[in-house]
Amino acid sequence: MTHTNLREPAAGSTAGGGNGNTASDKAIPPSGGGSRDGARAEFQQIGYSYTLRGHGVFERLLEAPGVAAYTNVCAGVAEVYPPTGKPFMGGAVMTVHNVVPLDGEQVRIRVDSGWPQDVTLRVSLQYFA
């Protein structure tokens, strides 16, 4: 059996029929930040954790020294055992929905604890400032 139809599509055509839903081979440039001169050694990695109580979807405003509106901030969440403060894999499914850095060294987060009653959890923030 010979395969005569196996070839690359002609330039400019797409496998999806040109509907705009197919991926392009052209790289998308960043929309802001970064430096073409290489890494900036003066930035320091900063990490803070916050012990909170809540249930369902809730928001909190956190103090985050060194954060401004354009700081890239990553967040994680885990349930913690209150007497020891150790994180554990409990029955609640936990997710961080939104992380919004603000001017004034603050970060607003939206968390879903996936549990009908308040649980103790730890939110960890990581960023460079």
Side-chain angles (χ1 to χ4, degrees):
M1 173 183 237
T2 57
H3 298 283
T4 58
N5 291 352
L6 297 178
R7 60 188 171 122
E8 292 293 320
S13 66
T14 61
N19 63 6
N21 292 330
T22 58
S24 169
D25 288 337
K26 184 175 179 183
I28 299 170
S31 59
S35 171
R36 291 185 182 261
D37 297 331
R40 294 179 54 182
E42 67 267 16
F43 283 136
Q44 294 180 12
Q45 183 176 357
I46 299 174
Y48 288 101
S49 61
Y50 308 81
T51 301
L52 310 172
R53 287 191 54 78
H55 70 279
V57 178
F58 62 92
E59 293 182 10
R60 294 292 189 272
L61 184 63
L62 307 174
E63 293 181 9
V67 166
Y70 295 102
T71 305
N72 288 323
V73 179
C74 296
V77 63
E79 192 169 356
V80 295
Y81 184 61
T84 63
K86 283 187 170 183
F88 70 99
M89 185 74 68
V93 175
M94 302 203 168
T95 56
V96 178
H97 288 282
N98 301 86
V99 180
V100 182
L102 304 167
D103 286 329
E105 300 187 325
Q106 296 178 331
V107 173
R108 180 170 299 282
I109 60 164
R110 182 176 294 143
V111 175
D112 186 351
S113 72
W115 203 251
Q117 294 93 21
D118 279 358
V119 292
T120 303
L121 53 95
R122 176 179 302 135
V123 171
S124 299
L125 300 181
Q126 293 287 322
Y127 55 95
F128 290 89

